Amino acid sequence: MAESAKEELFQLIRRLGGYLSVKMSNFFSISLQNLDSRSVGAVAGLAVAILFTWRLLRSPNGSQRRQRKRQGTAPSSSGVDTHSNTTLVPSGVCATSEDSRAQNVVDEFFQPVKPTLGQIVRQKLSEGRKVTCRLLGVILEESSPEELQVKQATVRSSVLEVLLEITKFCDLYLMESVLDDESERRVLVALEDAGVFTSGGLVKDKVLFCSTENGRTSFVRQLEPDWHIDTNHEIISQLARFIKYQLHVSPIRPERTAANVLSTSSLEQFFGCI
């Protein structure tokens, strides 16, 4: 009867551990800025409850202590010794099994849960809802407008998964300065072939083109995004006063121009995909 009750307890704790693991992973994907004092108190209470349960499971039960005491004071006659040994061994094996099962429950509960890419994107972008991003050197393999005049544009395969995840969560605008209409067409074809307009939440109207770098700066200031992503250090510096956060993509780590400007070697590296 007691063994059945213990088994039910272990099963309950195991299910509770799985449920709380999912809830905690969802909880930590939310910005800490959104937590109120009540939420913080609830988390603290949960931590105390977990610690108390773990200590309770790890503490030796009363029957083990009493059994060890009887073993130390048992008579020395061979008949009694034989009887004591036959009753003590199963108890010890049972206690060891219980400890092992309890430890397995604790280990399973505290097993780290790997966040999804969607959770990472939301966390890294600090819950920002509007993003503007340059195409050349970030989304495309090409890095200059001149390259778009002589060859077909190519979407970087390593960044595609991140790009699609951003479109699910954010209002994304892609932009680039080009030298002719044919370059525009090549960029749109590359994005369409990569599935950006079908698999993601991006539409062609949100791919913007201009003829100069200053034109891209004007686009960003008009859209007023939470984040702007660019490779041009000068544009990043000019926009630092107006945009909440910026990400400077550069193979060489530049000096930080402002507190709200972060740097990375690639977009996928920033989100931990490589």
Side-chain angles (χ1 to χ4, degrees):
M1 183 69 178
E3 192 68 26
S4 175
K6 291 177 181 178
E7 179 64 29
E8 292 179 0
L9 174 61
F10 286 126
Q11 293 298 331
L12 177 61
I13 294 175
R14 184 176 290 107
R15 290 194 296 271
L16 177 63
Y19 173 80
L20 291 180
S21 295
V22 174
K23 290 298 182 182
M24 292 297 284
S25 66
N26 292 335
F27 170 80
F28 283 111
S29 67
I30 301 175
S31 172
L32 292 176
Q33 297 176 353
N34 296 331
L35 291 178
D36 54 18
S37 58
R38 185 179 304 174
S39 299
V40 174
V43 173
L46 176 61
V48 172
I50 293 171
L51 179 60
F52 176 78
T53 303
W54 181 80
R55 291 176 61 89
L56 179 63
L57 290 172
R58 292 293 297 157
S59 62
N61 56 50
S63 62
Q64 288 178 267
R65 292 195 296 268
R66 289 193 299 270
Q67 193 65 38
R68 286 196 295 267
K69 183 176 179 180
R70 287 199 299 269
Q71 183 181 11
T73 58
S76 58
S77 64
S78 59
V80 176
D81 285 345
T82 302
H83 178 73
S84 298
N85 289 336
T86 57
T87 57
L88 285 177
V89 171
S91 177
V93 172
C94 180
T96 302
S97 176
E98 291 175 1
D99 284 347
S100 176
R101 289 163 56 192
Q103 187 62 49
N104 289 339
V105 171
V106 173
D107 292 342
E108 181 179 341
F109 179 80
F110 286 102
Q111 185 177 2
V113 178
K114 184 178 180 180
T116 65
L117 179 58
Q119 291 172 330
I120 295 174
V121 168
R122 290 191 291 271
Q123 183 182 39
K124 285 282 191 177
L125 295 180
S126 303
E127 302 297 323
R129 301 296 295 181
K130 182 183 286 188
V131 178
T132 55
C133 179
R134 182 182 190 179
L135 283 158
L136 288 173
V138 181
I139 306 301
L140 301 178
E141 295 281 359
E142 294 72 29
S143 58
S144 68
E146 290 75 17
E147 291 182 72
L148 295 176
Q149 287 186 301
V150 297
K151 57 179 292 189
Q152 179 63 45
T154 305
V155 175
R156 300 173 62 237
S157 59
S158 57
V159 81
L160 185 57
E161 186 179 6
V162 173
L163 178 64
L164 294 177
E165 199 62 48
I166 293 175
T167 62
K168 295 177 184 178
F169 176 69
C170 301
D171 186 15
L172 177 66
Y173 290 82
L174 301 178
M175 54 188 63
E176 192 50 66
S177 55
V178 296
L179 301 178
D180 52 34
D181 293 342
E182 179 62 20
S183 296
E184 291 186 20
R185 188 193 68 80
R186 288 174 175 170
V187 170
L188 291 174
V189 169
L191 293 173
E192 187 170 13
D193 290 345
V196 175
F197 299 129
T198 54
S199 301
L202 188 69
V203 295
K204 292 183 178 181
D205 290 342
K206 291 184 179 181
V207 182
L208 311 177
F209 297 98
C210 55
S211 57
T212 64
E213 297 285 85
N214 288 336
R216 191 162 74 252
T217 303
S218 298
F219 280 155
V220 175
R221 292 195 59 179
Q222 292 173 22
L223 291 170
E224 298 181 341
D226 299 302
W227 281 83
H228 176 61
I229 305 168
D230 211 296
T231 61
N232 190 307
H233 183 269
E234 185 177 350
I235 290 180
I236 291 288
S237 300
Q238 292 174 1
L239 293 173
R241 295 179 299 162
F242 308 104
I243 307 304
K244 187 175 182 180
Y245 299 110
Q246 290 192 93
L247 182 62
H248 185 191
V249 178
S250 173
I252 301 175
R253 188 177 183 87
E255 293 184 4
R256 193 166 185 176
T257 57
N260 61 337
V261 176
L262 305 178
S263 62
T264 182
S265 60
S266 66
L267 189 62
E268 57 269 37
Q269 192 276 334
F270 180 70
F271 292 105
C273 294
I274 58 173

